[in-house]
Amino acid sequence: MATSPSASPPTKRGRLDDPSASPYGGTDLELKCVNTIRALGADMPQAANSGHPGAPMGCAPLAHLLWTESMTYSPTDAGWYNRDRFVLSNGHACALQYAMLHLAGYDLSLDDLK
């Protein structure tokens, strides 16, 4: 089906230039969790004066879903044989892994993240 050149392109849900569209459809709590991960992912490279926050901030929703909905782990028993492993090979995104370990309750303090 051909469209006329004067027809507007279809709009996509979540477009940033559309103030009525919401780019996120989850709960307020989920959004707060994702934004907390993003904030930590931005703060660590800033504090170290090294690295880039783009990957940790962009991957925050993915990490939130993996760590809360999919992965099985135990911060109190880090050597548990049947745990899932989160392997992250992108060095620019290592702040994401540190943020998730801290937020999941592993022995990694905010001072360690700085």
Side-chain angles (χ1 to χ4, degrees):
M1 177 172 152
T3 60
S4 68
S6 63
S8 299
T11 58
K12 294 182 181 176
R13 183 178 173 273
R15 285 188 52 154
L16 297 178
D17 59 350
D18 181 2
S20 67
S22 172
Y24 184 74
T27 67
D28 288 342
L29 178 59
E30 288 172 330
L31 183 58
K32 187 173 186 175
C33 292
V34 169
N35 286 337
T36 300
I37 298 166
R38 286 180 172 145
L40 284 173
D43 287 347
M44 283 184 267
Q46 181 71 29
N49 200 25
S50 177
H52 190 274
M57 291 177 68
C59 294
L62 169 75
H64 172 68
L65 283 175
L66 280 174
W67 285 75
T68 60
E69 302 290 331
S70 180
M71 290 177 51
T72 304
Y73 55 91
S74 173
T76 59
D77 186 8
W80 174 40
Y81 178 76
N82 204 26
R83 71 192 183 281
D84 289 328
R85 277 81 167 170
F86 181 70
V87 178
L88 184 65
S89 62
N90 181 351
H92 279 35
C94 68
L96 176 67
Q97 186 160 9
Y98 295 134
M100 295 311 299
L101 289 169
H102 168 73
L103 293 170
Y106 284 87
D107 188 23
L108 196 62
S109 71
L110 276 176
D111 287 333
D112 292 333
L113 300 181
K114 294 176 185 175

